[in-house]
Amino acid sequence: MIAPQLFSKIFTNDKAIALLRKIFLLIPLVLILPNILSNKVFAVFLVEPISDIIATVTGILFYKDFSSTLRSMPNTPSYN
């Protein structure tokens, strides 16, 4: 929940995480996952949690990269 708000305030593209989750993850997963699993309905049901997990991991990685960038800047308070 925090990552989309954080990156919407920092980066110029305020919909980066939402676009990642809804367009770049959901649509391809809806098309690919039913072909992999035998139960098609269950495969579509799994798409939402899988895309949430991938978006969360991506948000955490962006946050870690951003916080290390903040730490390397001079005269910037340390954020944990």
Side-chain angles (χ1 to χ4, degrees), residues 51-67:
S51 68
D52 286 342
I53 291 169
I54 294 171
T56 301
V57 169
T58 304
I60 291 169
L61 293 175
F62 282 155
Y63 175 75
K64 287 186 180 221
D65 183 52
F66 178 73
S67 64

Side-chain angles (χ1 to χ4, degrees), residues 4-18:
Q5 287 84 14
L6 174 69
F7 295 115
S8 70
K9 302 302 179 201
I10 295 169
F11 299 118
T12 56
N13 186 359
D14 61 342
K15 306 279 190 243
I17 298 294

Side-chain angles (χ1 to χ4, degrees), residues 2-77:
I2 295 172
Q5 287 84 14
L6 174 69
F7 295 115
S8 70
K9 302 302 179 201
I10 295 169
F11 299 118
T12 56
N13 186 359
D14 61 342
K15 306 279 190 243
I17 298 294
L19 282 175
L20 169 74
R21 189 173 150 262
K22 290 294 182 188
I23 294 176
F24 297 115
L25 291 175
L26 270 178
I27 294 172
L29 283 173
V30 165
L31 297 173
I32 295 170
L33 208 54
N35 294 326
I36 296 172
L37 298 176
S38 60
N39 189 346
K40 309 288 187 212
V41 175
F42 184 67
V44 173
F45 178 74
L46 283 179
V47 168
E48 187 76 29
I50 290 171
S51 68
D52 286 342
I53 291 169
I54 294 171
T56 301
V57 169
T58 304
I60 291 169
L61 293 175
F62 282 155
Y63 175 75
K64 287 186 180 221
D65 183 52
F66 178 73
S67 64
S68 66
T69 303
L70 276 182
R71 284 191 199 108
S72 66
M73 297 175 122
N75 299 327
T76 303

